[in-house]
Amino acid sequence: MQVRKFLFTAVFVIAGAVLAFLFNFMVLDRILIPDPCYYHSHDTNLVFDLFYEITTAEGGHPSPTIFNLIFTIVAGGALGYALSRYMAKSGSKKQALAMQD
Protein backbone atom coordinates (compact mmCIF):
# COMPACT_ATOMS: atom_id res chain seq x y z
CA MET A 1 0.00 0.00 0.00
CA GLN A 2 2.89 2.38 0.75
CA VAL A 3 4.40 1.77 -2.68
CA ARG A 4 1.07 2.56 -4.31
CA LYS A 5 0.82 5.88 -2.41
CA PHE A 6 4.40 6.72 -3.35
CA LEU A 7 3.81 5.98 -7.03
CA PHE A 8 0.56 7.96 -6.98
CA THR A 9 2.38 10.98 -5.52
CA ALA A 10 5.40 10.56 -7.82
CA VAL A 11 3.20 10.51 -10.93
CA PHE A 12 1.43 13.70 -9.84
CA VAL A 13 4.72 15.45 -8.99
CA ILE A 14 6.32 14.53 -12.32
CA ALA A 15 3.18 15.41 -14.28
CA GLY A 16 2.94 18.76 -12.45
CA ALA A 17 6.57 19.57 -13.23
CA VAL A 18 6.19 18.64 -16.90
CA LEU A 19 2.94 20.60 -17.29
CA ALA A 20 4.45 23.65 -15.57
CA PHE A 21 7.50 23.42 -17.82
CA LEU A 22 5.33 23.21 -20.95
CA PHE A 23 3.08 26.05 -19.77
CA ASN A 24 6.08 28.24 -18.97
CA PHE A 25 7.90 27.76 -22.25
CA MET A 26 4.97 27.44 -24.64
CA VAL A 27 2.47 29.94 -23.20
CA LEU A 28 4.07 32.26 -20.66
CA ASP A 29 7.12 33.06 -22.78
CA ARG A 30 4.89 34.10 -25.66
CA ILE A 31 2.84 36.35 -23.37
CA LEU A 32 5.79 37.92 -21.52
CA ILE A 33 8.03 38.29 -24.57
CA PRO A 34 5.81 38.91 -27.60
CA ASP A 35 8.63 40.66 -29.50
CA PRO A 36 12.12 39.42 -28.57
CA CYS A 37 13.72 42.16 -30.67
CA TYR A 38 12.22 44.78 -28.32
CA TYR A 39 15.12 44.16 -25.94
CA HIS A 40 17.74 45.17 -28.53
CA SER A 41 17.10 48.81 -27.65
CA HIS A 42 15.36 48.69 -24.25
CA ASP A 43 16.67 47.94 -20.78
CA THR A 44 15.33 45.11 -18.63
CA ASN A 45 14.35 45.23 -14.96
CA LEU A 46 15.61 43.11 -12.08
CA VAL A 47 12.75 40.59 -12.15
CA PHE A 48 13.17 40.06 -15.89
CA ASP A 49 16.93 39.57 -15.41
CA LEU A 50 16.23 36.96 -12.73
CA PHE A 51 14.21 34.76 -15.08
CA TYR A 52 15.72 35.63 -18.48
CA GLU A 53 19.16 36.46 -19.82
CA ILE A 54 20.11 38.20 -23.03
CA THR A 55 23.17 36.61 -24.61
CA THR A 56 24.98 37.08 -27.89
CA ALA A 57 24.57 33.36 -28.53
CA GLU A 58 20.82 33.97 -28.86
CA GLY A 59 21.31 37.03 -31.04
CA GLY A 60 20.46 39.45 -28.25
CA HIS A 61 17.09 37.81 -27.61
CA PRO A 62 15.94 36.78 -24.12
CA SER A 63 16.40 33.14 -23.15
CA PRO A 64 15.39 31.45 -19.86
CA THR A 65 17.96 31.22 -17.09
CA ILE A 66 18.78 28.15 -15.01
CA PHE A 67 16.84 29.77 -12.15
CA ASN A 68 13.78 29.95 -14.42
CA LEU A 69 14.09 26.25 -15.20
CA ILE A 70 14.56 25.23 -11.56
CA PHE A 71 11.78 27.53 -10.32
CA THR A 72 9.36 26.17 -12.93
CA ILE A 73 10.11 22.53 -12.13
CA VAL A 74 9.93 23.06 -8.35
CA ALA A 75 6.68 25.06 -8.56
CA GLY A 76 5.08 22.47 -10.84
CA GLY A 77 6.24 19.62 -8.63
CA ALA A 78 4.89 21.36 -5.53
CA LEU A 79 1.53 21.90 -7.20
CA GLY A 80 1.50 18.26 -8.30
CA TYR A 81 2.29 17.15 -4.75
CA ALA A 82 -0.46 19.34 -3.30
CA LEU A 83 -2.93 17.98 -5.84
CA SER A 84 -1.95 14.39 -5.05
CA ARG A 85 -2.48 15.00 -1.32
CA TYR A 86 -5.87 16.57 -2.04
CA MET A 87 -6.88 13.68 -4.27
CA ALA A 88 -5.73 11.14 -1.67
CA LYS A 89 -7.74 12.87 1.07
CA SER A 90 -10.88 13.17 -1.03
CA GLY A 91 -10.51 9.52 -2.08
CA SER A 92 -10.18 8.34 1.52
CA LYS A 93 -13.26 10.38 2.52
CA LYS A 94 -15.27 8.75 -0.27
CA GLN A 95 -14.12 5.31 0.88
CA ALA A 96 -15.09 6.07 4.48
CA LEU A 97 -18.55 7.24 3.37
CA ALA A 98 -19.00 4.15 1.21
CA MET A 99 -18.13 1.88 4.15
CA GLN A 100 -20.72 3.61 6.37
CA ASP A 101 -23.53 2.95 3.91
Side-chain angles (χ1 to χ4, degrees):
M1 191 65 162
Q2 289 291 359
V3 173
R4 189 172 168 179
K5 283 184 181 180
F6 175 76
L7 289 176
F8 180 76
T9 302
V11 166
F12 270 84
V13 168
I14 292 169
V18 168
L19 288 175
F21 185 80
L22 290 174
F23 178 76
N24 184 16
F25 293 107
M26 296 183 98
V27 176
L28 245 143
D29 275 358
R30 306 258 192 277
I31 293 171
L32 295 176
I33 308 171
D35 179 21
C37 294
Y38 172 83
Y39 297 101
H40 292 298
S41 60
H42 293 84
D43 291 333
T44 59
N45 60 19
L46 181 63
V47 176
F48 187 88
D49 289 339
L50 188 61
F51 289 97
Y52 296 95
E53 62 186 354
I54 299 175
T55 62
T56 55
E58 294 291 328
H61 297 145
S63 60
T65 61
I66 297 296
F67 177 76
N68 187 342
L69 173 68
I70 292 170
F71 181 81
T72 300
I73 291 173
V74 168
L79 286 173
Y81 180 78
L83 184 62
S84 74
R85 295 292 97 202
Y86 174 77
M87 297 288 285
K89 282 184 180 180
S90 68
S92 64
K93 286 181 185 177
K94 286 179 185 176
Q95 280 182 342
L97 289 174
M99 287 183 181
Q100 288 177 353
D101 291 336

